[in-house]
Amino acid sequence: MGVLLVEWMALTDRWGSMIATRERTAPDARVRRYEPSPWVVSVLLAIPVFALYGTFLEHSPVYLAHDEVAFALNAHAIATTARDVNGHRLPLYFHIGGNFWATPMNIYFTALFVKMFGVSESVIRTPSAVIGTLNVVLMYFIGRRIFGGEPLAIIASVLLALTPAHFIHSRLGADHIYALPFMLAWLLYLLRFWQEERFGMLFAATTFLGFGVYTYIGSVVMMPVFFAITCVMLFVKYRTSLRPYVVAAAGFAWPLLPLVPWHLTHPTQYADQIRMYSLYDARKLNPLQGLKEVLSHTGLTARTDVYYNYFNPSFLFFSGDSSLINATRQAGVFLLPLAVFIPAGMYHIFTRAKTPLTRMLVAGLACAPIAAVLPAEVKINRALVMVPFAILIAAFGVRQVFAQRSPLFRLAGAILLVAVPLQFRSFYRDYTGDYRLRSSYWFENNIRGGLEEIMRRNRPDAIRPVYLSTDIQWVEWYWPLYLIKERREDLRARTMYFDPKTIDVNAMQPGSLVLSRADAASERPFTDRGPLRNVTPIREPNDGVYFVVFER
């Protein structure tokens, strides 16, 4: 291990020399250097990243979260019938239930995998692993544009790949990660436009922002924010020339055209989503009145505190999100070495690389939590768009550290780069180990085990009614999904959902199977009032019991 460490430090020092001298040394036209094709490099990056993101998806996290289940049910419905679970044909948004409307990108993309490979935990989560891998590849191409060469482009892509928050959300079958490839594609094509002045690149850049609106609910706010940043960039370059603004606006607007007829035919969606995130009472206030309430002194003060906490060092580098769906609590949003590289990158940008492009990265990072602060909660899943900006700034920090003449600075930079994979290794071991036990409660506990026990005891040739307690939250989503996965949809017609406080146990058919919570309040209606026996306690990974199967 010591030999490998020395070799890696030597390699990073050589890369550091390349990084430090690339800006100062003009290329010699007489010297022909071999540079690998960027497409070859991108493939060489994508293969190990997808192997990292896309393996053991059924193992960790230990169970599917309820959002993953809801999205997967709709993806299966689209894959098999071209309709959602409510029977609507190819909807623009998916009404999951109550005030919850899901964006379409992840559901339609997941439907492709379900169509080809069926339903399983791995299939449900693999599309996100593909998206995460795509993000890393896009980061590499962006890095080539910004830094003008391979070393920093590769470093930026590897830093993104090993960022805990990005890794975690690339392994969940949810929609939070889907905003990133559209944001990164916008940034890549905006860079191309800036350097080549081809208006087709500008149109493509803002078109990606338009489509990005359909990726995650927060993108309804963030994609217009990035469009505003684009307009600021255009003002810097073209001032009042009208053409670039028209091109940018046209690119952003045309993907949004389907929203007009959609909201005319689904007028409740806007109010539902406002209530979903408790922004204001959309039943009493119009949007302008709601905005005034959000920006009131009390609301603004609370959201200012939340905004600050998105940049709290403890959140960013040490403990991460409070939710064990979004973090392990053993690492921050970023790995510890970035606590040095990000400030160093800021210093480099404001002292040595003061260009509109670099200032745009800082502006992007500063604006990234805007949508996330509206619900007044600090959750990194709502602000994942901050991650790529921070990574690019950190790459500037790597350049700053290795640009120093002192060998001690270069040695420190090499040690910090070596620390990145070493800390990630520790994070990964915890993620695939103890984290599975710690996080099981956040993933609704072992509902799957209880449902699988019901199916195991209910053979296809038997006619045994199934009773599922309504005090098991989301059970009405988990049950249909696992019936599909195990090909036991014959049980759907035999299923009844019941309230344990009102159920008449004596009215149950003999042989009925019952899944209930294991706490005393939920068990008592059966143990006190009816001829039921405890068949199987459903064990958790930590040997706890939250659910139990009864048989009449």
Side-chain angles (χ1 to χ4, degrees), residues 115-296:
K115 184 72 173 180
M116 292 185 288
F117 306 111
V119 172
S120 71
E121 287 83 355
S122 293
V123 172
I124 291 167
R125 289 170 170 167
T126 294
S128 292
V130 172
I131 294 296
T133 304
L134 176 61
N135 293 339
V136 173
V137 171
L138 287 170
M139 177 63 74
Y140 164 71
F141 283 105
I142 291 169
R144 282 177 57 86
R145 287 275 168 179
I146 290 179
F147 304 113
E150 295 294 331
L152 278 173
I154 293 173
I155 286 174
S157 61
V158 172
L159 289 178
L160 178 61
L162 301 185
T163 294
H166 187 264
F167 171 84
I168 287 170
H169 285 280
S170 295
R171 294 175 58 88
L172 294 174
D175 55 357
H176 309 107
I177 197 73
Y178 280 74
L180 267 63
F182 290 88
M183 187 210 81
L184 287 167
W186 158 72
L187 184 55
L188 176 61
Y189 278 89
L190 186 60
L191 288 168
R192 291 188 62 181
F193 164 71
W194 193 266
Q195 295 165 354
E196 302 169 13
E197 293 198 61
R198 294 164 55 194
F199 283 94
M201 298 297 100
L202 176 61
F203 185 84
T206 55
T207 291
F208 279 112
L209 291 181
F211 281 115
V213 169
Y214 301 105
T215 57
Y216 173 58
I217 186 62
S219 295
V220 175
V221 174
M222 289 315 304
M223 297 303 164
V225 168
F226 296 143
F227 176 74
I229 290 175
T230 304
C231 291
V232 172
M233 295 289 290
L234 294 177
F235 181 78
V236 169
K237 195 175 185 72
Y238 295 99
R239 299 298 179 183
T240 58
S241 177
L242 187 60
R243 183 187 176 192
Y245 300 99
V246 171
V247 171
F252 184 64
W254 79 266
L256 304 181
L257 293 177
L259 286 175
V260 176
W262 172 262
H263 279 293
L264 289 175
T265 54
H266 299 81
T268 65
Q269 181 182 343
Y270 172 78
D272 286 345
Q273 291 180 323
I274 292 297
R275 289 196 296 271
M276 176 78 178
Y277 294 96
S278 303
L279 300 184
Y280 60 87
D281 190 345
R283 293 168 297 186
K284 299 179 180 178
L285 303 178
N286 61 42
L288 288 178
Q289 293 170 326
L291 180 62
K292 182 179 178 181
E293 181 171 310
V294 169
L295 297 178
S296 65

